[in-house]
Amino acid sequence: MRAATPVIASFALSLLAATAFGGPVAAETTTLRMTWYSDGNEGEVMADLLKRFHEQNNDIEIVLDQVPFKAINETLPVQLASGQGPDMARVVDMGGLSRFALDMRPFLKDPGYWETNFGPFLEWMRPAGDTKAIPGFMTQLTVTGPFVNKTLFEQAGVAMPGEKSTWEDWAKAAKQVADKVQAPFPLALDRSGHRFYALAVSQGTQVFGANGEPDVVDVGFKRAAQLVYDWHKSGVMSKELWGSVSGTAYRGANDEFKNAQVVMYLSGSWQISQFAKTVGDAFDWVAVPNPCGPGGCSSMLGGAGLVAFKTTQHPKEVARVMDYLASEPVLAEFYSRSLFVPGHLGLAKKGLDYPTASPEAAAALRVFTASAAQISPIAYRIQGYSNSRIVLNAVISRLGQAVSGETTLEDAYKRITADVAQQIAERNKK
């Protein structure tokens, strides 16, 4: 031990001397934390990009905490409210978390680039009344729509409904196929308020009253809710999915679809990467345009944003990371490798290549990209509403109770209205 002492002392003196006379000193490393969830391979892609960033900026290290989607919806808001959140996180409830968001504008290299390419989406992330903040960027634009097991249709000898077909047309065809091939799930729809609104917008819901405040249970909403309720009673939809969880819990049908148990699955563009990998050549699957209703054929748009939070102690370093990830070449690579519809206006206009995409995935991306151009203004308004999560949660919780037989549909309507009013009032008090 003693033999090492002179070396240590010498090093210490050299460091002091270098400091005193302005010599080079190794930069201190800043560690940032990013909370992230994945639907497909995007976590792997992000880890790769962050590794590359660190190689070019060795004074910043990013710890990527990959968590389940449930943690993003339920745990992250609690962490942020207590001041214990990460520096950045990938979130879907951008409006609901906007009060915690950091305005990176003072720290970004070129705020104009962000405004030009993310402008409409920045509005989803800003606190109410704020027209200038730049809190983050879209990791993807998502578009809802159905995936169809084409092989099951062929085996059943049933023709797939064409473009502009109604929801009722598809439900009837899916039930015919399921009956013939003994598939347990004719139509699956994610137990998600967001996915329900893909149906509700097509049925003509307006969501907001003349005063601009939520008026959720309107004629179009009731049409959509009645369809879901009736489909569960007639066997078009199975209670095994929606009935397996309660409250605001999400329940998808990914596993059932990849195992060829579902004829038609209403989900969205974020599933493309996963199905390209998990289905493989087990069967032929296709994405189809959103079915139509009295309100049109609109999908529900959404997405996930990588957002910075104001509790960070290192806003400049956070902005450096975000500038890098949001730059056009890096973000183009992220979208391309993740098989995502771009949430960057410049890249959307130019178009993206997806060299790793299977023929099925490439075809699905074309369908969803086309659907994105036909989205109703009501869908944009719902997505950008700061209290949208309150509406979505109330709807799925109470509609789920009606489907499970715990209450009537009429009672669910009353409770949805009461829940939304009460929770918005409570949030406004804070």
Side-chain angles (χ1 to χ4, degrees), residues 138-149:
M138 298 298 287
T139 58
Q140 90 261 45
L141 181 68
T142 60
V143 183
T144 59
F147 294 92
V148 176
N149 187 320

Side-chain angles (χ1 to χ4, degrees), residues 90-420:
R90 185 185 188 212
V91 303
V92 291
D93 184 16
M94 290 169 273
L97 298 179
S98 61
R99 63 190 183 278
F100 303 116
L102 169 72
D103 179 11
M104 297 186 294
R105 180 182 287 273
F107 311 106
L108 297 170
K109 288 181 181 177
D110 181 8
Y113 166 83
W114 287 70
E115 291 173 337
T116 298
N117 292 293
F118 304 112
F121 313 120
L122 294 176
E123 296 176 15
W124 298 353
M125 306 177 187
R126 289 169 175 156
D130 190 322
T131 60
K132 297 290 185 182
I134 302 179
F137 68 90
M138 298 298 287
T139 58
Q140 90 261 45
L141 181 68
T142 60
V143 183
T144 59
F147 294 92
V148 176
N149 187 320
K150 186 179 177 183
T151 297
L152 292 182
F153 268 90
E154 292 170 349
Q155 289 175 347
V158 175
M160 285 174 54
E163 196 169 346
K164 304 293 184 183
S165 294
T166 65
W167 278 102
E168 290 87 343
D169 293 335
W170 273 103
K172 180 180 178 181
K175 186 69 165 64
Q176 288 176 342
V177 171
D179 288 346
K180 288 189 176 183
V181 301
Q182 300 298 301
F185 304 100
L187 171 63
L189 189 155
D190 287 337
R191 190 183 187 278
S192 154
H194 184 269
R195 236 67 77 238
F196 171 78
Y197 270 97
L199 172 64
V201 170
S202 75
Q203 298 305 307
T205 188
Q206 297 299 302
V207 187
F208 300 94
N211 62 357
E213 295 301 314
D215 182 16
V216 177
V217 184
D218 58 13
V219 174
F221 179 93
K222 288 183 177 180
R223 271 197 292 259
Q226 190 72 54
L227 282 174
V228 170
Y229 184 81
D230 291 345
W231 285 338
H232 276 94
K233 288 190 72 174
S234 66
V236 171
M237 290 180 68
S238 170
K239 290 185 180 180
E240 187 176 328
L241 295 178
W242 278 41
S244 65
V245 291
S246 61
T248 61
Y250 170 84
R251 172 67 158 89
N254 307 49
D255 289 341
E256 289 79 8
F257 184 80
K258 75 180 183 184
N259 290 323
Q261 297 176 303
V262 181
V263 178
M264 181 180 185
Y265 177 29
L266 175 63
S267 195
S269 55
W270 59 93
Q271 302 281 26
I272 294 174
S273 173
Q274 180 182 162
F275 290 155
K277 184 177 181 179
T278 58
V279 174
D281 59 1
F283 58 85
D284 292 331
W285 59 275
V286 294
V288 298
N290 205 66
C292 303
C297 313
S298 176
S299 300
M300 181 64 193
L301 85 168
L306 185 61
V307 175
F309 297 112
K310 57 189 176 185
T311 50
T312 182
Q313 297 180 13
H314 308 286
K316 292 181 180 179
E317 288 80 2
V318 166
R320 277 173 59 191
V321 175
M322 297 287 262
D323 259 332
Y324 172 82
L325 293 174
S327 64
E328 190 167 301
V330 174
L331 199 49
E333 180 183 343
F334 175 81
Y335 292 144
S336 179
R337 291 173 60 187
S338 302
L339 306 186
F340 283 154
V341 176
H344 178 289
L345 299 183
L347 290 171
K349 187 175 181 180
K350 291 177 182 177
L352 275 181
D353 292 325
Y354 297 93
T356 63
S358 66
E360 292 88 353
L365 282 161
R366 288 193 292 270
V367 170
F368 283 114
T369 300
S371 295
Q374 303 174 35
I375 290 173
S376 162
I378 292 296
Y380 274 97
R381 192 173 177 189
I382 297 168
Q383 179 62 24
Y385 179 47
S386 60
N387 291 317
S388 64
R389 184 60 52 181
I390 288 176
V391 173
L392 300 180
N393 283 348
V395 166
I396 205 63
S397 175
R398 298 307 185 181
L399 187 54
Q401 289 178 334
V403 163
S404 298
E406 298 173 33
T407 187
T408 65
L409 205 49
E410 285 299 322
D411 191 47
Y413 295 157
K414 294 175 185 176
R415 294 187 181 191
I416 288 168
T417 301
D419 287 350
V420 170

Side-chain angles (χ1 to χ4, degrees), residues 53-81:
F53 171 84
H54 179 63
E55 289 169 354
Q56 300 170 19
N57 302 268
N58 59 13
D59 60 318
I60 299 177
E61 184 172 340
I62 305 102
V63 177
L64 186 65
D65 296 314
Q66 301 207 48
V67 300
F69 179 67
K70 184 177 181 180
I72 295 293
N73 273 348
E74 298 178 11
T75 308
L76 180 62
V78 176
Q79 292 175 330
L80 291 170

Side-chain angles (χ1 to χ4, degrees), residues 11-33:
F11 172 77
L13 288 170
S14 298
L15 182 60
L16 287 170
T19 304
F21 294 103
V25 179
E28 184 179 343
T29 299
T30 297
T31 300
L32 304 175
R33 301 197 78 91

